[in-house]
């Protein structure tokens, strides 16, 4: 009897141990090593995608910062300057070959526009031919660590639209002229003279292929919007890595109040402008009368 009870107790203990092992989470132990489990199938896909992305990571990466990420346009705003600085992150020695190069671009929001050609007919300058641009940035500055034609290959320029002519987006609609290049060249020339388009070759300071800085001057006639900053890391004319950062440019104070009033309440804005002109005229007239009597 005692022998039978001992055998039954041994069988019960063995069954409990088997049941405990079966209740353990599947996949926790495999070949003696812990294996991660994925209760959510989408979690596994996210981990696989992250691993694949880490394998495609470039050998050299840009790590950068901006001295300011917002610009306030006030009534006395006469321009601003932004310092863009950073370093090259790498886990291996500096590769051999052509030296590293840096290109920094600052771009305002783009808008469609029409470029007209004026011709003098019968003694009067009138608009004749036109070219419509799908989108052109209101401000575009390019700063480089060397001559643009030497450090950037054309196919990489077309891919990222870095140079000034390529920053202008495609033409809108069917072209009404045989050659649209003179129109875009005229637009770039006019905006360069106003300080809205700028190419500063050699203005990016690069130290020991590791540290860099660039000073970008923003003119007084900025438009508000979400500006984009791009920092390109190049070697042998090819883009190795790109760093992007936003800059928020907004009107504030009295400048913003007048700007919003002009668009939201145009009638009230017009009446207020008329009243200011009348008061200013009356004040000037009264001042002159007082000067004559003196």
């Amino acid at each position: 009897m005692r022998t039978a009870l001992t055998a039954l107790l041994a069988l019960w203990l063995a069954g409990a141990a088997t049941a405990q092992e079966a209740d353990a989470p599947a996949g926790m132990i495999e070949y003696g090593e812990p294996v991660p489990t994925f209760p959510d199938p989408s979690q596994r896909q996210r981990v696989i995608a992250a691993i694949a992305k880490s394998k495609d990571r470039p050998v050299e990466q840009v790590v950068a910062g901006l001295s300011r990420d917002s610009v306030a346009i006030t009534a006395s705003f006469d321009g601003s300057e932004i310092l863009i600085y950073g370093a090259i992150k790498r886990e291996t020695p500096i590769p051999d070959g052509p030296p590293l190069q840096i290109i920094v671009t600052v771009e305002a929001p783009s808008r469609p526009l029409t470029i007209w050609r004026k011709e003098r007919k019968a003694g009067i300058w009138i608009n004749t031919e036109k070219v419509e641009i799908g989108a052109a940035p209101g401000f575009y500055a390019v700063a480089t660590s060397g001559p643009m034609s030497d450090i950037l290959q054309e196919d990489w320029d077309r891919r990222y639209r870095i140079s000034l002519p390529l920053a202008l987006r495609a033409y809108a609609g069917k072209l009404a002229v045989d050659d649209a290049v003179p129109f875009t060249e005229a637009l770039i020339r006019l905006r360069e003279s106003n300080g809205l388009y700028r190419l500063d070759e050699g203005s990016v300071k690069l130290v020991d292929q590791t540290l860099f800085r660039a000073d970008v001057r923003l003119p007084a006639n900025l438009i508000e919007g979400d500006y984009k900053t791009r920092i390109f890391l190049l070697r042998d004319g090819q883009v190795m890595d790109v760093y992007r950062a936003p800059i928020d440019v907004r009107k504030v104070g009295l400048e913003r109040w007048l700007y919003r009033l002009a668009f939201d309440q145009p009638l009230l804005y017009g009446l207020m402008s008329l009243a200011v002109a009348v008061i200013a005229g009356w004040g000037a007239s009264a001042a002159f009368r007082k000067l004559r009597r003196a």
Side-chain angles (χ1 to χ4, degrees):
M1 185 63 181
R2 180 177 296 176
T3 304
L5 290 175
T6 303
L8 288 174
L9 180 59
L11 289 174
W12 180 78
L13 291 174
T18 305
Q20 287 180 356
E21 186 172 325
D23 291 340
M28 287 297 292
I29 298 177
E30 185 176 350
Y31 303 112
E33 297 181 355
V35 178
T37 58
F38 300 94
D40 182 5
S42 61
Q43 182 184 1
R44 179 183 178 87
Q45 298 299 325
R46 289 196 298 271
V47 172
I48 294 175
I51 294 174
K53 186 177 181 180
S54 63
K55 291 181 179 178
D56 297 336
R57 187 176 302 169
V59 177
E60 297 174 302
Q61 294 178 275
V62 181
V63 182
L66 281 65
S67 60
R68 52 194 305 185
D69 58 2
S70 63
V71 175
I73 301 177
T74 61
S76 59
F77 180 76
D78 60 350
S80 180
E81 191 165 291
I82 293 181
L83 168 63
I84 300 172
Y85 56 93
I88 311 305
K89 178 183 177 183
R90 59 173 71 90
E91 297 178 356
T92 58
I94 298 176
D96 298 329
L100 211 59
Q101 302 292 344
I102 298 289
I103 296 179
V104 177
T105 66
V106 178
E107 179 180 356
S110 297
R111 298 174 180 173
L113 58 85
T114 303
I115 308 171
W116 289 93
R117 169 179 285 168
K118 285 183 177 296
E119 291 185 3
R120 190 169 185 173
K121 294 185 177 180
I124 303 174
W125 289 94
I126 59 175
N127 294 328
T128 54
E129 297 176 314
K130 67 176 183 180
V131 170
E132 296 181 350
I133 302 294
F139 172 78
Y140 194 74
V142 182
T144 69
S145 58
M148 192 82 163
S149 57
D150 295 343
I151 65 174
L152 177 63
Q153 296 181 8
E154 292 183 1
D155 53 342
W156 289 92
D157 187 12
R158 287 192 294 270
R159 182 179 302 182
Y160 288 99
R161 294 182 176 275
I162 299 174
S163 61
L164 281 171
L166 294 180
L168 306 177
R169 299 303 188 265
Y171 302 110
K174 186 178 180 181
L175 284 176
V177 297
D178 295 333
D179 187 7
V181 174
F183 290 81
T184 56
E185 290 178 344
L187 172 66
I188 293 175
R189 187 170 60 253
L190 289 173
R191 294 201 166 181
E192 282 180 336
S193 62
N194 294 328
L196 295 176
Y197 287 176
R198 191 164 61 246
L199 172 60
D200 298 326
E201 294 180 317
S203 61
V204 178
K205 308 301 180 186
L206 183 60
V207 181
D208 294 336
Q209 300 194 52
T210 302
L211 303 175
F212 69 89
R213 65 167 290 171
D215 298 279
V216 178
R217 176 71 180 173
L218 303 179
N221 52 348
L222 281 181
I223 62 170
E224 68 173 357
D226 299 325
Y227 284 51
K228 296 184 296 184
T229 301
R230 297 182 298 170
I231 303 171
F232 296 94
L233 179 65
L234 304 102
R235 191 180 288 279
D236 197 17
Q238 301 180 9
V239 177
M240 306 288 294
D241 191 28
V242 184
Y243 182 91
R244 296 177 174 83
I247 301 176
D248 187 26
V249 178
R250 291 286 182 270
K251 291 182 171 66
V252 297
L254 179 62
E255 183 79 8
R256 180 167 186 79
W257 182 78
L258 291 174
Y259 177 80
R260 296 310 319 170
L261 183 66
F263 284 94
D264 299 338
Q265 302 289 338
L267 178 60
L268 179 60
Y269 181 82
L271 293 175
M272 189 183 70
S273 301
L274 181 61
V276 170
V278 170
I279 293 174
W282 175 83
S285 176
F288 277 114
R289 284 199 302 270
K290 191 173 182 179
L291 287 175
R292 287 181 179 178
R293 293 173 185 171

